[in-house]
Amino acid sequence: MSIEELRELINYHSNLYYTLDEPEISDFEYDRLMSELKKMEAANPELITPDSPTQRIGGKILSGFEEVVHTVQMQSLNDVFDRESVLDFGEKTEIALGEKVEYITELKIDGLSVSLEYRDGYFFRGSTRGDGNIGEDVTENLKTIRNIPLKLNKPIPYLEVRGEVYMPHSSFDALNKRQEDLGQKPFKNPRNAAAGSLRQLDSSVVAQRKLDIFVFNIQQIEGKEITTHKEGLEYLSQLGFKTIPETPVCKTIEEAFAEIERIGEMRESLDFDIDGAVVKVNSLSQREILGSTAKCPKWAVAYKYPPEIKETILRDILIQVGRTGVLTPNAVLDSVRLAGTTVSRATLHNIDYIKEKDIRIGDTVLVQKAGDIIPEVVSVVKEKRTGNESVFEMPTVCPVCGAKVYREEGEAATRCTGADCPAQIARNIIHFASRDAMDIEGMGPAVVEKFLENNIISSVADIYKIKVEDIEILDKMGKKSAENLVLAIEKSKSNELSKLIFALGIRHVGARNASVLAFRFGTLDALIQATEEELAQTDEIGEVIAKSIVNFFKQEQNISVIEELRAFGLNFKCNEKQGEGVFSGKTFVLTGTLPTMNRNEASKLITDNGGKVSSSVSKKTDYVLAGEEAGSKLDKANALGVTVISEDEFKNMIS
């Protein structure tokens, strides 16, 4: 058998297996044919052609994706959510045309939209939709999808088609099992997995993901006249494409909606996700008359099904502590298949949500995916209660670190107060080292994550234990970088007290509040001992911030961290002098976005020149410094007759 004959034979069997789902030979026999072709091409590399099945395997490493300008815009669709809206679309369409209309109802595949381009019958470019006008060239990755023909069955001069790349449930389940085996984070849903896979720079990785595609539209064609959408799909099938299934021609809009309902009933039996059904005008000439808006065609709408809801048993409620310290209750469920994935956990949001819906451990509940992504409990099937269900109460201490939890009045969230809580330690350390806090140059989020992964630090106090030899061996660090970072850490010990107060991460205490507190109390120890009444009487603090400060310093965990910082020699005294100058005795309020400086910079200029910064406008306010998009504070200033100044006027006052 010649190399050309072997190539044709493999392409024939690939089409039967991947496109028509009607294989004639076993996987073993197919693999044997592929192995023979690889050997023949290795011996005769000059005979390798672009459409050879061996070109699908992947292995090219790209440095990035080139931009592709779509000559025909890849438009999105207007969404509708009920029968009346679908019928209204049909009525308006027929009025606009002044004649009867045939419709096509299709599955709306939940994947990633792509363009495939062919010249003289050969696939030469594939790209993502992007913003509809400009996408990314992902040709090499698309070649790994088996049912994208590299050579068409007929040599069309030029063809561009649009399709939806997706990941079948079977491929998705296998991928997530592999992710878990490797200790890596599983994908949330098949669509995210497909989109992430198609944008891999290594095409061999894409080949392993076993993506699939349905082609659903002809964007451009030369050498063939097509008059209807249905005719176009049939022609694409003849060329070798796997086209969108379930596409009957409907004589009326009522028939089109009946197809929507039929598709909705079969959703669970599909091996892929759909996020709706699309109703299209069948006649291409009628489409031309109807035209499009800037982003959407007027000849089609997308019907979105209500979220899929399933019944299951809620076995337990566990608390998850997020990186911001919020305690989130999560339901432990009997596993159920929902919107393409197996669900065994669902968010319960907060204790108010649980009480409002009267959710109890042991209840039969209805669950759905919010936005088809996040599982949540919708309601309780109370008629199935047995009397053995138990009421859930939020814990009084953090289940991760043991620190007390609190819930502010008017807030739904319950929070951990522990500064050293492992669940939020990465965020706390990143904040501690940030520019407005301890300003440790070279210790950004990526470095912090690397230190945590390598067990170099586990708390903010551990920053001051870091040695050059601990970090110079880490990837992309080196001795010079390590030395510079250790010097920056040492330098931070002498920072002003205001920076340390802000770095501690006390809820509601920003950089400006920290400066006010440092001036008012003079030392960190005096601030720790301050009463809620003393704090609330301090300018710009108030009752909410005062309560937050007192609660923070009540926690043994937080005091323990502070004592460690003291032992490392950090500055606990305020050495800043209250500024004197043109703003002495003047009170400013800042609002909006200033052209060249942020609020912290402006606030520092005010205090350096003897002024005070307040958070609210009153009759005692001397100036409101206003930038773009100033809101209610500007309105109040105008109503009270307070002087409003711009950044330029502010700078002129200083100079």
Side-chain angles (χ1 to χ4, degrees), residues 32 79 95 146 185 221 232 311 319 430 512 534 582:
R32 185 176 59 79
D79 294 335
I95 290 173
R146 298 282 182 168
K185 187 178 179 179
I221 188 169
E311 185 178 293
I319 295 294
I430 290 167
R512 172 61 194 159
E534 289 173 324
V582 293

Side-chain angles (χ1 to χ4, degrees), residues 589 614-618 621 633 636:
V589 172
S614 177
S615 59
S616 59
V617 179
S618 70
T621 304
K633 291 179 182 178
K636 189 171 183 181

Side-chain angles (χ1 to χ4, degrees), residues 84-98:
E84 289 70 26
S85 298
V86 174
L87 299 185
D88 184 57
F89 160 73
E91 182 181 346
K92 288 179 178 177
T93 299
E94 296 190 7
I95 290 173
L97 292 168

Side-chain angles (χ1 to χ4, degrees), residues 28 56 123 291 329 352 394 397 539:
F28 177 81
R56 295 186 180 278
F123 178 52
D352 288 348
M394 286 291 283
V397 298
D539 283 347

